[in-house]
Amino acid sequence: MSEPDISLSENAARRVAAIAARKDAPAILRLAVDGGGCAGFTYVFELADAPDAEDSVAETDGVKLVVDPASLELVRGSQVDFVEDLGGAAFRVTNPNAQSGCGCGSSFSV
């Protein structure tokens, strides 16, 4: 069995479900990669109404994580988690493709 393209941790799934319930929206988190940030690329998270036809979709506990094909090339094999620490609470991507990152944890380079 091959590795999934991308995965969503149970902790992240719970957080997406809670946010979606508050907004009366579907529990679908879209991860996109945008140019910019202090290391070259930045992760962008938003709730989605539905997956697009070409999206890669991962599901954990009924919550979907969707990624467009261009972004998937930069995050393939990654896991999206939700972490809370002294620095705050945020979705965090563990990306095996990133050559370097930044202190804020939201941008990377390949």
Side-chain angles (χ1 to χ4, degrees):
M1 188 165 137
S2 65
E3 285 292 309
D5 285 338
I6 193 159
S7 63
L8 186 68
S9 74
E10 290 180 7
N11 204 31
R14 281 192 295 275
R15 183 63 176 190
V16 172
I19 293 168
R22 275 201 313 268
K23 296 183 176 275
D24 195 28
I28 302 171
L29 179 67
R30 175 169 297 284
L31 166 61
V33 175
D34 201 4
C38 45
F41 293 102
T42 187
Y43 301 113
V44 179
F45 294 99
E46 63 185 9
L47 289 179
D49 293 325
D52 292 337
E54 67 277 1
D55 284 341
S56 181
V57 180
E59 190 167 332
T60 301
D61 298 337
V63 175
K64 292 180 179 165
L65 172 66
V66 297
V67 183
D68 66 271
S71 295
L72 184 61
E73 290 307 311
L74 297 168
V75 298
R76 189 179 306 277
S78 297
Q79 181 182 53
V80 176
D81 194 9
F82 183 77
V83 295
E84 296 181 76
D85 56 27
L86 292 175
F91 288 103
R92 185 136 322 132
V93 179
T94 303
N95 186 346
N97 306 302
Q99 299 296 316
S100 64
C102 66
C104 67
S106 64
S107 68
F108 67 101
S109 66
V110 290

